[in-house]
Structures are given as C-alpha cells and as structure tokens.
Amino acid sequence: MNISLRQLKVFESVARLLSFTRAATELHLTQPAVSIQIRQLEENVGLPLFENIGKRIYLTDTGKDLYGVCETVLGALSRFEMDAADRRGLKTGKLRLAVTTTAKYFVPRLLGPFCERYPGIEVSLKVTNQSSLLERLAHNEDDLYILGQPPKHLAVKAQPFMENRLVMLAPPDHPLVGQRNIPLQRFAAEWLLMREAGSGTRQSTERFFAERGVAIRERMTLGSNEAIKQAVMGKLGLAVLSHNTVVLEIAVGQIAVLDVEGFPILRHWQLVYPAEKRLSVVAQAFFDFLNEPAEPVAGPAV
Ligand code: PGA
C-alpha cells in the first residue's frame, strides 16, 4: 500500500467530522479535492472506507480501523513536532479544548492572555453540554476538557482551578429579592426553569435539592443558559445557574441573585484529561497556565 500522510490527514478529518464539506472547510480545501484524496485512499486500501446511508456518511469497519491508525500515527507525529519545537525553545502546535456550555462564559477570556504568551499555539474550542463532553473524553477526541465536576465512571486526572458558584436567580422585582437566608423549603412552591438532561448544572441542582429532601417544581426545560436567562427576565420562573453565566446581567440589574439557605452551591471548575494520556507540550502549557497562582479572569465585580 502506498498511503500518503496527506491522505491520512484528509481521511482523519472526514472520519472525525463525518462530513466531506466540513472536512474541506477545516482543511481549507475544496470538496472535490477532499473526495479525490478519499477515492485514491480507498483505491490504495482496496476497500471502501465510508458508506452512505440516506444523506449521512458512516465509517465502514475498515474505515474504523484506519481511523484508529490515524489517531496513533498523526498523534505521535504531532507530539514529535511539538517536542521538537519545544526543544528549539518554541511552543507551537494545536491545542484542542472542549468545554461545557457553562464554561464558555470565561474560557475564551482565559485564552486571550494564553495566546498572547504563546502566539505559535493554534487553539480550537469545542463547546457542548456535560454528557456529550464526557463522550468526547471517553473517545479521546480532544487534549483537555473543562467542566463542572470530574466524571466518576472514567479514569481521569482532574485539577480544580477556579471557583464555580451556582446561584439562585430571579427577576429583579420578584418578592423574594432582598430577603435574607430564604428557607430552601420555600422553593417547593416556586417554578424553576431547568437545563436539559445531560447538563452538569441540571445534575448539580437536582442533587442539591434531592439531598435536602425538597422537591423541584419544574416549569420548563430549556436547552441553553442564554434561554434560561431570558426566561428568568421574562418572569417565567426562577433558575439555578453558574454565576459565571450571569455576571453582566447581574451587574446591570436585569437579574437578581436570591439569598437562599445553602446557596451558593460551591464547586470548582475542573481541568480534566484521560488518566493514561500523555499531555502534549501545548496542552501542558495550557494546564500550567491555568494553574498559575494569579486569578487570570477579569470580570465586572458584583
Ligand atoms: P453544563 O455545564 O450545565 O453546560 O453541562 C456545567 C458543568 O460542567 O457542570
């Protein structure tokens, strides 16, 4: 077989994204150019690597095997390139970060000073909820993960790095605003707006109420923090969200934080990666950067 590195790179992108169009965009190629590379690769292998079912493409068993080979070969090559660059005194390469939808409110601001310090590092950021993030982690799709709590069922290394306070939110004219130490039991009578199943915020909220024997009255499930904030402002109900997601709304008085018994729910953001993984030079650089003593995130004081 005469498989070229270029063919492997094109194949890896199509196999990961399961789309010729998205692979073409990622690789800055035209779609026909991607198709030609894949066709030549399939001719080399002598077997199809993808199959079309309906409008979607899937990896064949041979395709899955080759994808595993790509991870090993391209991963080793990229680690070698980074190590070599590191020895030359440069930190260059790709950093693939995946963060929960709640962490997206502060992670991009951390990336500013990081990218300024290491201009040779190219960062890609995947944002998704906790359950799909854990799936990506189980499949080793990214270098580092940022989420609200380390997974219990996966062998990982987890490093807490910044406080994450979950707060009870209300519209500013709600009768409970301004009251002190409101008993948790009071919320059995209030409508709550909840994130979707699979959200870490939802999981923490449910666990907090269940452990204290208070039943939640769920008014509505909303699939994003933004939708929940708008619904709180629209007086559809109260909600528990990470303080990181509502800093600006609180600062301008559009949303109020209630003083509730047991709140805020105190947690720490976690920087996580598979236990058996050897971090690349750039992933290690980001890991060290986040663990520097100074608090690098600046936001409006509330
Ligand atoms: P999510 O994130 O609610 O957006 O899933 C919060 C978390 O990681 O706990």
Side-chain angles (χ1 to χ4, degrees), residues 1 3-4 7-12 14-16 18 20 34-52 57-70:
M1 272 185 220
I3 298 175
S4 73
Q7 285 171 347
L8 276 191
K9 284 186 177 164
V10 172
F11 169 77
E12 189 278 334
V14 179
R16 177 168 37 82
L18 288 176
F20 282 71
V34 170
S35 302
I36 289 169
Q37 293 289 336
I38 297 296
R39 199 175 333 119
Q40 284 173 352
L41 185 59
E42 285 181 326
E43 278 164 16
N44 262 328
V45 176
L47 287 165
L49 300 169
F50 295 98
E51 56 190 350
N52 288 299
I57 59 162
Y58 294 86
L59 283 167
T60 59
D61 286 345
T62 313
K64 283 180 196 157
D65 287 350
L66 186 59
Y67 188 46
V69 172
C70 280

Side-chain angles (χ1 to χ4, degrees), residues 171-174 193 219 229-238:
D173 56 355
H174 192 280
L193 305 164
R219 170 101 186 239
K229 290 187 320 192
Q230 295 300 327
V232 170
M233 290 187 242
K235 304 186 187 176
L236 281 170
L238 308 178

Side-chain angles (χ1 to χ4, degrees), residues 3 7 18 30 42 48 63 78 85 94 98 122-123 128 156 177 183 201 206 215 218 224 234 255 258 274 285 287:
I3 298 175
Q7 285 171 347
L18 288 176
T30 62
E42 285 181 326
S78 116
K94 269 206 174 137
E122 188 192 323
V123 185
T128 180
V156 295
V177 174
T201 308
E206 283 179 338
E218 183 171 342
S224 78
I255 289 187
L258 297 182
F287 190 93

Side-chain angles (χ1 to χ4, degrees), residues 66-124:
L66 186 59
Y67 188 46
V69 172
C70 280
E71 283 180 328
T72 314
V73 172
L74 298 178
L77 194 64
S78 116
R79 263 198 306 281
F80 168 75
E81 281 170 0
M82 289 185 212
D83 286 347
D86 195 37
R87 279 193 208 113
R88 297 200 309 270
L90 293 168
K91 296 243 186 295
T92 61
K94 269 206 174 137
L95 171 64
R96 290 168 307 169
L97 275 182
V99 310
T100 52
T101 50
T102 301
K104 78 170 182 200
Y105 287 88
F106 64 91
V107 172
R109 267 188 284 154
L110 294 173
L111 290 175
F114 178 73
C115 292
E116 206 172 305
R117 189 185 301 176
Y118 301 113
I121 296 183
E122 188 192 323
V123 185
S124 75

Side-chain angles (χ1 to χ4, degrees), residues 278-293:
R278 202 195 109 206
L279 287 186
S280 70
V281 167
V282 296
Q284 188 64 51
F286 189 68
F287 190 93
D288 296 341
F289 174 80
L290 279 197
N291 286 302
E292 283 173 8

Side-chain angles (χ1 to χ4, degrees), residues 208-223:
F208 181 84
F209 276 85
E211 280 170 1
R212 286 154 186 82
V214 178
I216 289 175
R217 274 178 93 207
E218 183 171 342
R219 170 101 186 239
M220 209 182 271
T221 305
L222 295 126

